[in-house]
Amino acid sequence: MTARPDSGGPDPGALARVLARTCVDAVAAVGGYAGGVYLRSRSEGLLRMAVLTGLPGPLFRPWWRMHANRPYPVAEAYRSGQSVHLADAESAMRLYPQLMAGLPFPFASLYEPVVHGTERFGVLLVLRTATPGVPVGAVDRERLRGAAGRLAGELAALVASGAPVLWEGDPVCVRVPAPAAGARETLDRLAEAVLSVDRQGLVAFANRAAEDLVGPAGPKLPGRVLWEALPWLAHPAYEDHFRAVFMSSEPVHFAARRGTPPPGEWLSVGLYPGADGVTVTIGATAKRAYAPAPVVRPASAGLGSPADRASALYRPVALAIALTEAVTARQVSAVVTEELLPAFGGRQLAIYLLDERHLHLAWETGFPRGFLRPFDGVALDARLPGVETLTSGRALFFESMQHLAAAYPGIPLDADVGARAFLPLIASGRPVGSCILGFDTPRGFSPEERTVLTALAGLIAQALERARRYDSEAALARGLQAALLPQRLPVREHVTTVGRYLPGTQGMDVGGDWYDVIETGGGRLALVIGDVQGHGVAAAATMGQLRSAVRAFAVTGSTPDQVMGGTNQLLIDLDPGQFASCCYVLLDPASGVVRAVRAGHPQPLLRRPDGRTDVLDLAGGVVLGIDPQATYPVTELRLETGSVLALYTDGLVEKPGTDIDVGVERLRAALAAARPVPLTETADRLITDAGGADRPDDIALLLASRT
């Protein structure tokens, strides 16, 4: 691997040497086993790994680049200029779940910003054995801070000499030679292959059984990268095991299919980490119970191929698109069932939502009937994986039911064979609930799958949080609208009035539609209907203000054009960022004389005593809240005894994909066909016929009849 630090100084290699020396010294100073340095690059906000020691560089290629705005400790240390010390996996998962989703291993990591004055160069990091529950000591903190300070001083001196301290290439992998291997004769007696691998993945020693793996004609193993010398170990499904052993101090065991004769032979692989490297053992094994595998099927091009990368990209995109249309928690859960389970081959899904200090089952599919009922309402102190994934913020993956039973002794299992993933649902740092994915057969979870599932859990949590806010806002809007709409209409001689309102069934199901009947004095009645643009609390609040304004202008004896003009000016002065349509009809019940104005609202309908029904042609002005100079001409007509006037909002006549004139004609025909029955029955029939179960908008209807 070659480094390409920017040229321009008298010694282009000086930067790499300074970084390598500091990195190796810092690792030794704090008792680490690996480390590296990230430097800024020419791309704004992009950090690149310049030096890496103690780890095989290619195995960690996904972490060679890091943007400063990402939620990772390296980026946090660079942005804030503050140290980040993570003593164990629990603290890392709590603070940086994205890091542990990609590297779900027990290790400690220390990050120190490399800063000189106001100049930020990058971040020095060291990995070491985890110390669960024991924070990083003050001595080690000071040692790492001192190493970063000295590095910052040297980098500042390089800048002063004219050498730009930027990094644009691959990292320089610094190899620390492992101690000479011994006891060859003893190890050669073993039938099991034994190899000593340094922390860059190079084979330092191989016994006779290990050399037999490549055959007498093959090249010698020492000096070669393990997975290049034994390419069948380079299968993407095994990468996670190698990452685990290089990142943590715990041994790893797995079964691998050998790719050289005899074909299909399963071998048991053991990985034993140490400060200087990893001991690898390879021996015969019985057929394994399961094989860790990526989500792609065996016929796929394989993990890391363009096809699989496209598939991994499609899953969150498809789910995100589908979630944008999900409004309620049930709709979100249905989307997860339809999009997430098939993508990963899952069969079971359960979603729990947090309420106070308990988790309540919100959705389930695929589990035996009644199996999850005992887990409904469990407290957050219960030792259950569905609870602990939320309280720790760490996703839990169990490759078999035996692994799950071993981690949680005594836990009820719904099956003897399978695998489970428990995902925390956390939105913007707030716990929302937990998600359980079930699989019918044992399976592994690759780093890519863990990362994708963790990311998807975040999307699901955001959607559920949005659904929860929707429920709260909808309840508030419904209550607000119910309070603002008239509780009863005036009862007057010679005229009957009936009002109806239906909320929409899609999205935020409360809007700004309203109706009103106002006694204005002199025996006259004002019939009002209006529609505020938008839905939700804001629309309902604006509706309440407009209804109050119209009522105030009406009771003071203002003419219809003055009522509409004054309401228009008030809405402009309030500037709520919304506009509204309105129709105002001033009726004298005794004479039947009507004076009406219209502001961008649908034309009323008039059913005459003989049943003939027409769409009125009222002069009108622009909608309210747009033009302060708008005028609203008045139209006069007469309402005969036995006739019915219908005022309505566009939700009653407008349907997606259909011209509004079609809806108006449908309503006109329905009103014409209405028999002389109580006006309440006519109103119910009209709103039932037009307001189906799938309503994108709310509906208001006001009928007035001269008797």
Side-chain angles (χ1 to χ4, degrees), residues 607-628:
R607 184 183 188 275
R608 293 176 171 81
D610 59 3
R612 183 165 50 92
T613 304
D614 298 315
V615 179
L616 295 180
D617 185 16
L618 303 183
V622 298
V623 293
L624 305 175
I626 299 296
D627 181 8

Side-chain angles (χ1 to χ4, degrees), residues 109-135:
S109 54
L110 293 71
Y111 307 83
E112 193 68 40
V114 180
V115 181
H116 188 271
T118 60
E119 185 119 23
R120 291 181 296 175
F121 292 109
V123 177
L124 170 65
L125 70 96
V126 172
L127 306 181
R128 67 181 194 179
T129 302
T131 55
V134 180

Side-chain angles (χ1 to χ4, degrees), residues 319 322-323 325-342 348-353 360-365 425 432 434-437 459-461 463-467:
L319 182 63
L323 285 175
E325 300 178 359
V327 177
T328 66
R330 178 169 291 274
Q331 290 172 341
V332 172
S333 302
V335 167
V336 175
T337 302
E338 296 167 3
E339 296 288 343
L340 187 62
L341 281 186
Q348 296 89 24
L349 170 72
I351 293 179
Y352 286 83
L353 295 181
H360 295 279
L361 183 63
W363 180 272
E364 66 167 306
T365 183
L425 301 179
V432 176
S434 59
C435 176
I436 305 172
L437 296 180
L459 290 178
I460 296 167
L464 288 170
E465 183 71 3
R466 188 174 66 247

Side-chain angles (χ1 to χ4, degrees), residues 280-362:
V280 181
T281 63
I282 302 174
T285 182
K287 184 177 179 180
R288 59 182 177 165
Y290 73 98
V295 69
V296 294
R297 299 294 173 259
S300 160
L303 196 61
S305 68
D308 188 53
R309 286 195 296 270
S311 175
L313 176 63
Y314 169 78
R315 285 191 292 268
V317 170
L319 182 63
I321 292 172
L323 285 175
T324 59
E325 300 178 359
V327 177
T328 66
R330 178 169 291 274
Q331 290 172 341
V332 172
S333 302
V335 167
V336 175
T337 302
E338 296 167 3
E339 296 288 343
L340 187 62
L341 281 186
F344 286 85
R347 293 293 181 270
Q348 296 89 24
L349 170 72
I351 293 179
Y352 286 83
L353 295 181
L354 181 63
D355 181 16
E356 297 291 336
R357 296 280 300 173
H358 296 80
L359 284 173
H360 295 279
L361 183 63

Side-chain angles (χ1 to χ4, degrees), residues 90-108:
E90 293 296 331
S91 59
M93 177 56 72
R94 191 165 53 251
L95 298 172
Y96 304 99
Q98 291 86 348
L99 171 69
M100 300 309 294
L103 297 170
F105 318 118
F107 66 95

Side-chain angles (χ1 to χ4, degrees), residues 653-680:
V653 294
E654 197 169 33
K655 293 182 182 296
T658 304
D659 192 281
I660 190 173
D661 291 338
V662 176
V664 173
E665 174 57 28
R666 185 187 304 113
L667 180 63
R668 188 204 65 78
L671 182 60
R675 292 174 301 185
V677 294
L679 201 60
T680 53

